[in-house]
Amino acid sequence: MKKVSFIFFCFCLWSSVIAQEDVLLKILNTELKKEIKNQLRSPYFEGDTITVLQPFTIDSNKNLSILVKKNMPYQEGTWIVKQEVPLNAVKKIGKDINIILETGDNHVITTSYKQEDGSETAEKVMGNLFFLFLSNEKENEELGIAIQKAFLGAAISVIKEYWYD
């Protein structure tokens, strides 16, 4: 009977963690949709624009990823950018214009392809910053708290630090 109770407890715990990963994805993708909608609101906007090719996802290996097409006014061409990070490597969340997930050394893989004249040039960088492409909303520290709580619910301890618009 103890084995059955233990197995049931483990199943419930596992289901709860999976549900929190879904909560995290829902928060991130909802905010990403708002970002896309609002990125050109200001008539004085001169920043990067993105198009989502693949929204935030979590694969079977618990890697968070996103794929976007990015246009930058200060560089020619269009970039396709994919970011990946193991969820359990995320240690901090903060905002310095853009909302950022921070990890230890070299846990974030960013692969960029610059499209020029039909050719692609690939660049792969290992780093410790995972940019969420969320920067337009201001005074939104409650979003940082919600993301932190979703990580904590998925059994990943994340510290929310600085939050600068």
Side-chain angles (χ1 to χ4, degrees):
M1 188 63 169
K2 287 182 181 181
K3 285 183 180 181
V4 172
S5 296
F6 179 73
I7 291 171
F8 180 72
F9 173 76
C10 289
F11 177 75
C12 290
L13 184 61
W14 177 77
S15 296
S16 174
V17 168
I18 296 297
Q20 285 302 309
E21 289 174 7
D22 290 342
V23 168
L24 177 62
L25 287 176
K26 183 176 181 181
I27 292 169
L28 294 177
N29 286 319
T30 299
E31 291 300 316
L32 188 60
K33 285 178 187 175
K34 284 198 281 187
E35 182 77 17
I36 299 300
K37 181 179 176 185
N38 295 327
Q39 68 184 346
L40 300 174
R41 263 169 96 190
S42 169
Y44 306 107
F45 179 78
E46 294 181 10
D48 301 347
T49 57
I50 61 170
T51 304
V52 177
L53 301 177
Q54 175 198 315
F56 290 103
T57 59
I58 298 173
D59 66 17
S60 60
N61 293 322
K62 306 293 184 199
N63 292 314
L64 176 67
S65 67
I66 184 171
L67 180 66
V68 298
K69 181 166 67 170
K70 190 172 180 181
N71 291 307
M72 297 171 276
Y74 49 88
Q75 289 186 351
E76 287 187 30
T78 299
W79 288 81
I80 306 298
V81 179
K82 181 175 185 175
Q83 290 187 116
E84 303 171 271
V85 65
L87 281 178
N88 64 359
V90 176
K91 303 297 179 213
K92 299 177 186 175
I93 181 171
K95 182 178 181 186
D96 189 0
I97 299 176
N98 198 320
I99 299 176
I100 305 166
L101 302 178
E102 294 184 43
T103 69
D105 292 338
N106 299 323
H107 289 288
V108 178
I109 301 170
T110 303
T111 308
S112 303
Y113 302 92
K114 185 176 181 186
Q115 296 180 328
E116 290 181 325
D117 303 323
S119 64
E120 291 185 355
T121 305
E123 178 182 301
K124 189 173 188 176
V125 178
M126 304 286 288
N128 69 328
L129 301 177
F130 186 97
F131 292 88
L132 297 180
F133 299 103
L134 303 175
S135 62
N136 279 315
E137 271 193 47
K138 307 299 181 218
E139 298 179 18
N140 61 344
E141 194 162 355
E142 69 282 350
L143 174 58
I145 294 167
I147 294 170
Q148 178 189 30
K149 285 181 181 179
F151 270 101
L152 291 172
I156 301 167
S157 181
V158 173
I159 298 167
K160 187 185 83 48
E161 285 196 324
Y162 54 91
W163 205 265
Y164 309 117
D165 286 324

